[in-house]
Amino acid sequence: MALIVQKYGGTSVGSIDRIKAVAERICRARTGAHDIVVVVSAMAGETNRLFKLAEQLSDSPHPRESDVLAATGEQVSAALLAIRLQALGFPTVSFLAHQLKIMTDSRHGAARIKSIDCSRVLRALEDGNIVVVAGYQGVTSQGDITTLGRGASDLTAVALAAALRATLCEIYTDVDGVYTADPNICPGARRLERISYDEMLEMAGLGAKVLQLRSVELARRFNVPLVVRSSFQESGEGTWVGKEDQAMEDVLVSGVTLDQNQSKLTLTGVDDRPGLAARIFGPIAESGIVVDMIIQNASADGRTDVTFTVARTDLRRAIELVKMVANEIGGPGVRYEEQVAKVSIVGIGMRTHAGVAAKMFRVLADEGVNIEMIATSEIKVSVVVNSKYGELAMRVLHDAFLGKAADTTSGETA
Ligand code: ASP
Ligand code: MG
């Protein structure tokens, strides 16, 4: 009997009607003679609602208590779904993280899973039950409740699928798969039939929200086959996320992403001598700010400019730190641009095909879009442009690499 892990996101269990619909889908899979483990998110909006309650009581709720609070969202949806499945005549048992010993470290709000004890799940399955697990939560060796980070019910699902050696991990959400770009911005965006772990990792890291980043990392590490599907449709192929193969490599670009939440900082007139980059970026790294792109200009008269990007939420802190360092090292100027756009193209085909970056720059030039920064990796090219042009850049790049002529999947449009 195949063991399948199904994960249902917040909108999929967002109301009583949705829970009923999802329960029916689970019953169908169960009747198809599969062992089913279901992981649920909190009902849509619930986690935010809980955090807002705490905010009304304290400016800085203790992370331990925030986790006790936030973890309740998933407890509710797990219980409600189990209640419905039982009402439909299917033996079901729900579990919270501590009951399954989903052991984590004690980093509240962003805990990492260390181990999962599968014995109770396996016993419940053997007894003929559907198993429903509350996503997003864990427990420390001290017995304290933790949460795994926003969107991390995906992670619970993949971790369980890996631990149980499930045949498949199905991620049910409100879109019917992974798209070549955000369809709200690119009308020509379409569902991908398949995508490799590496590409999915880049796309998740670049802000494609359909899968949580760490869940993709884990799926890759343990080779868990994933499929992303809509729980709002009767049937649908969805998008398969898995190991790459030859056919995937032939596709030059699989997706285009846009991140409008980046800021750019520049230090001007920095002395060009050993150790200064370390001085500038050391304190930033120590404070946990992730620096994305860095450019250092060729020096003129022994001085150079250093430009880098950070997430916009980190801008204020980054400015403070950089100004502090600037004072210490003899006062280079500090400039910043609060909102810039990062547009990226992603595809494993880039490894073996030359000229992808050049084509990207040509397409942007033809639209008159100025490129402010460039960064590349083996399977990605990112550029920073003025945020005004972010959506335009995304659209023209999508047309150029993934438009009709370059159609590389089934030719389906969404
Ligand atoms: N309920 C949690 C959140 O909203 C986890 C999840 O939905 O995956 O972030
Ligand atoms: Mg999600």
Side-chain angles (χ1 to χ4, degrees), residues 5-24:
V5 174
Q6 299 189 332
K7 181 259 173 177
Y8 291 93
T11 48
S12 295
V13 293
S15 66
I16 290 300
D17 283 342
R18 291 300 313 152
I19 291 174
K20 286 181 179 168
V22 157
E24 261 149 44

Side-chain angles (χ1 to χ4, degrees), residues 259-263 292 309-312 338-340 342:
D259 181 351
Q260 288 277 26
N261 292 311
Q262 295 274 311
S263 299
D292 185 31
T309 59
V310 295
R312 188 134 42 101
E338 182 151 358
Q339 196 186 6
V340 293
K342 181 171 72 169

Side-chain angles (χ1 to χ4, degrees), residues 27-97:
C27 295
R28 280 202 299 278
R30 174 77 186 130
T31 312
H34 293 305
D35 274 338
I36 309 285
V37 175
V38 181
V39 174
V40 285
S41 290
M43 295 170 79
E46 177 64 6
T47 310
N48 288 339
R49 186 186 75 87
L50 293 167
F51 281 129
K52 286 209 186 84
L53 291 177
E55 272 167 32
Q56 293 173 54
L57 298 167
S58 165
D59 290 340
S60 54
H62 193 288
R64 182 187 180 281
E65 305 314 325
S66 294
D67 276 356
V68 173
L69 177 70
T72 61
E74 274 69 13
Q75 175 163 354
V76 170
S77 45
L80 290 177
L81 182 58
I83 287 168
R84 182 61 185 173
L85 287 165
Q86 289 164 354
L88 294 173
F90 286 78
T92 302
V93 50
S94 71
F95 290 116
L96 302 179

